[in-house]
Amino acid sequence: MYVLALVTQKGGSGKSTLSAGLAVAAMQRGERVALIEADAQGTISKWKERRAGSYPRVDCVADPAEIEPVISRLHAEGVWLAIIDTAATNNALATRAIASADLCLIPARPSPADIEAAIPTLIAIRRINRRFAFILNQTPTRGCRLSEAATSLNSLGVLALPFIGQRNDHQDALGAGLGVTEFAPEGKAAEEIVALWDWISERLIVESNDHGQAALKTAC
Ligand SMILES: Nc1ncnc2c1ncn2[C@@H]1O[C@H](COP(=O)(O)OP(=O)(O)O)[C@@H](O)[C@H]1O
Ligand SMILES: [Mg+2]
């Protein structure tokens, strides 16, 4: 099983929106997916209450010690991907989520404040040597701030592709209890989320295997 964690202490950067959107996009590719809500704000559980279908399942955790047992249970139940949505703070729950993740995703809006706010999260990720990628979210359709933001994030680490535009479909999908790929499958927002899932899944599978091979070689 693979674990993704959406992390950054900046609120409103898109952790919950992207968690739900990516979970549904992965599910539509035939994967067994679960969401782990590690945020008392409850955006994901409220989204799930508005949702008609039973998938993806949502598990809520309030205590850092609960994360590992929940992951083990999901693994035993045959879940292929768990996505952890965390709160807008560097609390112990977020730190444990980072430690459990195969890949940490750090969404940031293209503003200096958002990028600066990601630094403590980045330090926490590097301290425990986890893999990570930034996601540039809520990007305007035009303007030079975008390339400045992309350059800043690229200098800090890997930047996922494509950038995710500021589009109403994301907000409407969240409100309707849907993934954006269910809400408006032909829309630009859905197209971007599918492409982002492809980018993430490629890194997750290929690089996790490389990591495993390297660990195996070291052990031998
Ligand atoms: N790409 C996007 N386009 C439009 N609205 C977005 C996008 N990403 C997030 N939002 C909206 O921004 C707000 C904050 O997003 P949210 O996912 O709750 O952030 P976080 O979980 O990081 O606090 C929500 O209203 C959400 O629907
Ligand atoms: Mg949230």
Side-chain angles (χ1 to χ4, degrees), residues 33-92:
V33 181
L35 282 159
I36 301 176
E37 178 162 76
D39 181 2
Q41 208 164 47
T43 309
I44 292 294
S45 11
K46 288 174 198 149
W47 170 79
K48 174 71 176 173
E49 280 167 21
R50 294 190 288 272
R51 205 172 156 75
S54 19
Y55 297 99
R57 58 176 288 176
V58 173
D59 285 88
C60 298
V61 296
D63 189 304
E66 292 173 37
I67 289 194
E68 283 304 329
V70 168
I71 288 175
S72 300
R73 186 161 39 77
L74 293 173
H75 181 52
E77 289 170 13
V79 168
W80 183 81
L81 174 73
I83 301 181
I84 313 176
D85 180 32
T86 65
T89 166
N90 272 353
N91 60 13

Side-chain angles (χ1 to χ4, degrees), residues 168-183:
N168 291 342
D169 281 355
H170 289 284
Q171 296 171 15
D172 295 342
L174 208 62
L178 297 171
V180 75
T181 50
E182 295 169 319
F183 179 79

Side-chain angles (χ1 to χ4, degrees), residues 19-206:
S19 294
L22 289 169
V24 171
M27 234 172 58
Q28 289 176 325
R29 283 279 162 91
E31 312 299 356
R32 283 194 73 182
V33 181
L35 282 159
I36 301 176
E37 178 162 76
D39 181 2
Q41 208 164 47
T43 309
I44 292 294
S45 11
K46 288 174 198 149
W47 170 79
K48 174 71 176 173
E49 280 167 21
R50 294 190 288 272
R51 205 172 156 75
S54 19
Y55 297 99
R57 58 176 288 176
V58 173
D59 285 88
C60 298
V61 296
D63 189 304
E66 292 173 37
I67 289 194
E68 283 304 329
V70 168
I71 288 175
S72 300
R73 186 161 39 77
L74 293 173
H75 181 52
E77 289 170 13
V79 168
W80 183 81
L81 174 73
I83 301 181
I84 313 176
D85 180 32
T86 65
T89 166
N90 272 353
N91 60 13
L93 203 47
T95 308
R96 197 62 74 88
I98 290 169
S100 310
D102 295 295
L103 182 63
C104 298
L105 299 172
I106 313 171
R109 286 171 297 199
S111 81
D114 266 53
I115 294 168
E116 278 162 19
I119 305 287
T121 307
L122 189 56
I123 291 170
I125 292 171
R126 286 204 162 129
R127 192 180 298 133
I128 51 174
N129 205 20
R130 305 317 293 169
R131 292 195 292 127
F132 69 93
F134 291 101
I135 298 173
L136 203 45
N137 186 34
Q138 303 184 53
T139 58
T141 39
R142 60 182 77 88
C144 62
R145 288 167 71 208
L146 188 54
S147 61
E148 283 171 24
T151 306
S152 302
L153 290 176
N154 255 324
S155 69
L156 293 172
V158 180
L159 179 54
L161 291 171
F163 305 154
I164 303 298
Q166 165 80 38
R167 301 181 198 281
N168 291 342
D169 281 355
H170 289 284
Q171 296 171 15
D172 295 342
L174 208 62
L178 297 171
V180 75
T181 50
E182 295 169 319
F183 179 79
E186 306 302 327
K188 189 78 185 148
E191 185 185 313
E192 288 171 354
I193 287 292
V194 166
L196 180 63
W197 168 243
D198 287 343
W199 189 97
I200 292 166
S201 63
E202 199 168 303
R203 261 96 205 143
L204 208 50
I205 296 165
V206 173

